[in-house]
Amino acid sequence: MNACTSCKMLSSKERCPVCGNPTSSNWSGLLVITNPDESAVAKELGISLAGEYCLRVR
Amino acid sequence: MEDIENSIYALKTSAGQERNVARLLARKSKDSGVGICSILVPESLKGYILVESSTKIDMRNPDIKVPHLRGIVEGNKDITFEEVKKFLNPEPIISSIQKGSIVELVSGPFKGERAKVVRIDESREEVVLELIEAAVPIPVTVKADQIRIIQKEAD
């Protein structure tokens, strides 16, 4: 899995399918957002799309 | 903007299975009526995951029966969102390393060796080490996540 260096979303692609930024395989921490509208965590991080995210990417 | 009132639960998982449990739990909660909004797997918490849910999580609920999920952490006090916040923005490991610290290498060719930090490159998240047991001090450059701090600062 790779993480987008900008939005931190996890994907298996070379470029993030959401924002098009390059992805990196060096990431840590996992965050699964299932309901972004009702999640305080998603609100805090400004996430509006459900999916898998990392907490830190390098 | 209205405030979101969700409870945060700490769930115990088998060590090393945190990510699998989180993914399975997310998939299961989507199909069932469990109000899980997000699942957090901080790297610093081994064997635990944090679940944000709008409904009470009960381990007896068959909808959250997931392999490697060991139980819920019971406590008198609820986990506050402030406590979770510090996991959302983990500070880089390099900020806790000081020059002169004694560290142990956890991976790479020098795994298990002890070394002293001689220089820190914060922008590249690298540290230059000198192996303690080596007869001739050779500087070794490694990534900050390849070391474990043993002693904060050498006397």
Side-chain angles (χ1 to χ4, degrees):
Chain A
M1 279 298 239
N2 285 356
C4 172
T5 48
S6 170
C7 69
K8 295 184 177 179
M9 193 183 216
L10 298 181
S11 65
S12 50
K13 310 249 170 21
E14 293 273 303
R15 286 196 167 267
C16 177
V18 179
C19 61
N21 282 303
T23 58
S24 157
S25 60
N26 192 347
W27 55 272
S28 67
L30 176 73
L31 174 67
V32 188
I33 303 281
T34 49
N35 189 348
D37 300 326
E38 284 181 29
S39 166
V41 174
K43 201 174 135 192
E44 170 76 19
L45 296 174
I47 294 170
S48 56
L49 220 71
E52 290 185 7
Y53 296 83
C54 71
L55 295 176
R56 221 170 85 79
V57 62
R58 195 156 66 194
Chain B
M1 209 186 280
E2 61 175 318
D3 261 2
I4 301 166
E5 286 272 341
N6 287 336
S7 306
I8 291 155
Y9 300 91
L11 302 185
K12 176 123 184 63
T13 71
S14 306
Q17 297 293 330
E18 298 89 348
R19 286 181 184 173
N20 293 336
V21 172
R23 287 186 174 123
L24 282 170
L25 205 57
R27 201 178 305 160
K28 272 208 147 187
S29 73
K30 221 179 273 175
D31 304 334
S32 61
V34 188
I36 293 176
C37 302
S38 67
I39 304 166
L40 189 64
V41 188
E43 208 82 331
S44 51
L45 277 184
K46 283 231 158 57
Y48 293 93
I49 60 171
L50 299 170
V51 174
E52 182 192 5
S53 174
S54 54
T55 55
K56 189 164 166 44
I57 288 188
D58 191 342
M59 283 309 289
R60 285 168 293 187
N61 188 346
D63 286 336
I64 63 160
K65 263 242 165 340
V66 168
H68 298 294
L69 183 58
R70 293 273 178 263
I72 186 162
V73 180
E74 307 266 2
N76 300 333
K77 265 170 69 185
D78 285 341
I79 302 169
T80 62
F81 188 60
E82 294 302 312
E83 285 175 276
V84 177
K85 261 187 190 170
K86 61 175 180 249
F87 293 117
L88 296 180
N89 297 307
E91 63 169 42
I93 317 157
I94 198 132
S95 59
S96 60
I97 304 168
Q98 284 173 331
K99 203 173 160 183
S101 300
I102 304 294
V103 297
E104 186 186 320
L105 285 115
V106 291
S107 64
F110 298 111
K111 186 178 175 181
E113 293 274 350
R114 287 183 177 214
K116 190 176 169 183
V117 178
V118 285
R119 201 168 63 236
I120 301 163
D121 187 341
E122 284 208 33
S123 58
R124 295 170 70 183
E125 295 200 8
E126 282 178 350
V127 284
V128 180
L129 309 171
E130 232 165 51
L131 298 175
I132 289 173
E133 275 152 47
V136 186
I138 309 162
V140 184
T141 308
V142 295
K143 290 274 176 208
D145 51 8
Q146 290 184 5
I147 57 171
R148 185 167 64 93
I149 301 166
I150 294 175
Q151 198 182 324
K152 276 256 159 167
E153 209 174 345
D155 302 318

